[in-house]
Amino acid sequence: MTIYAVKECFLTLQGEGMQSGSRAVFLRFAGCNLWSGREQDRADAQCNFCDTHFVGTDGEGGGKFRSAGELAEHVERLWGEGNERRLVVITGGEPMLQLDEALVECLHERGFRVAVETNGTLPATAGIDWICVSPKAGTEVVQRSGDELKLVWPQQGIDPVELEGWAFNHFLIQPMDCERGDEARAAAIKLAMDRPQWRLSLQTHKVVGLA
Ligand code: SF4
């Protein structure tokens, strides 16, 4: 029996990327393959600039779900009335550790478009409607195609010019949320100005005070 561990799940507006501003159920799976989520492990983790809490199942709308149908029902309940433009954004942690075809199917049956935000180190599950890959320096990205590539910037060890050859429809550059945020914003703006293939992406949910 598949058990899905969900850190949190709630109705909001998608904050980042090309679908920013869209009503969506946001489903954050627990766990990541690039960091344990414990502060004492951060310095040695493959990804060490994470700004999300993905450990455990104790967040708003989180919990353990015993089947794809049960989790899809939870998502549907959070969406509420109305069948139009149903969207679920599945993230983590790393969503590909848990998202399987059965869950994608159950969400489709309920009329949801399924979007994911992944670090790209695991192949995307079949049937996903919108794939956003956010590569992390020093990792082997196997998912090199999709809808949007969202590069958190700056990251030493990643060359954006190389990424331009990957098969994505949109290339987004997003300033890193860190202590040196001003420098990160300036670096992201510079890249978008120098290389027009890239668009600036902002974390609009933080600007407007949404989770
Ligand atoms: S890959 Fe994503 S979820 Fe995992 S540690 Fe990095 S930023 Fe956090």
Side-chain angles (χ1 to χ4, degrees):
M1 182 174 65
T2 306
I3 302 256
Y4 301 93
V6 174
K7 171 68 184 180
E8 57 185 352
C9 191
F10 53 87
L11 183 66
T12 187
L13 299 180
Q14 163 66 324
E16 303 176 2
M18 298 302 291
Q19 303 195 85
S20 151
S22 302
R23 187 185 207 259
V25 174
F26 203 74
L27 191 168
R28 185 184 306 287
F29 276 123
C32 183
N33 57 342
L34 299 185
W35 178 40
S36 68
R38 291 190 301 260
E39 280 308 318
Q40 63 265 36
D41 300 333
R42 186 187 282 273
D44 297 325
Q46 279 188 280
C47 177
N48 52 25
F49 59 81
C50 188
D51 62 356
T52 51
H53 300 289
F54 56 76
V55 176
T57 56
D58 56 346
E60 178 187 346
K64 292 199 171 147
F65 296 83
R66 284 164 302 167
S67 70
E70 193 180 302
L71 181 49
E73 251 176 57
H74 182 58
V75 169
E76 187 172 36
R77 215 174 302 120
L78 288 167
W79 180 271
E81 296 300 312
N83 295 329
E84 260 179 64
R85 302 190 69 85
R86 289 182 163 195
L87 173 66
V88 57
V89 176
I90 303 182
T91 183
E94 173 45 52
M96 293 313 159
L97 293 171
Q98 298 193 62
L99 178 59
D100 55 10
E101 287 183 44
L103 181 55
V104 173
E105 247 173 59
C106 282
L107 289 163
H108 279 164
E109 279 166 13
R110 288 164 174 79
F112 281 91
R113 282 180 302 132
V114 177
V116 295
E117 310 213 340
T118 169
N119 60 37
T121 58
L122 301 167
T125 305
I128 294 167
D129 303 291
W130 185 274
I131 298 174
C132 171
V133 171
S134 182
K136 306 298 183 281
T139 65
E140 176 61 21
V141 174
V142 298
Q143 184 62 44
R144 296 186 176 199
S145 61
D147 298 281
E148 64 184 359
L149 184 118
K150 186 174 65 191
L151 181 60
V152 176
W153 194 245
Q155 284 189 68
Q156 274 193 348
I158 287 193
D159 180 1
V161 179
E162 272 178 31
L163 303 188
E164 289 170 10
W166 293 7
F168 287 87
N169 297 327
H170 306 282
F171 290 80
L172 302 172
I173 193 85
Q174 184 169 293
M176 188 177 287
D177 184 8
C178 59
E179 281 172 10
R180 295 162 71 178
D182 287 348
E183 285 172 39
R185 281 187 286 279
I189 289 167
K190 180 171 184 337
L191 187 90
M193 293 298 283
D194 289 349
R195 303 196 67 83
Q197 188 164 344
W198 295 87
R199 293 173 66 148
L200 185 67
S201 169
L202 297 175
Q203 293 182 296
T204 59
H205 53 296
K206 294 184 180 173
V207 177
V208 298
L210 287 170

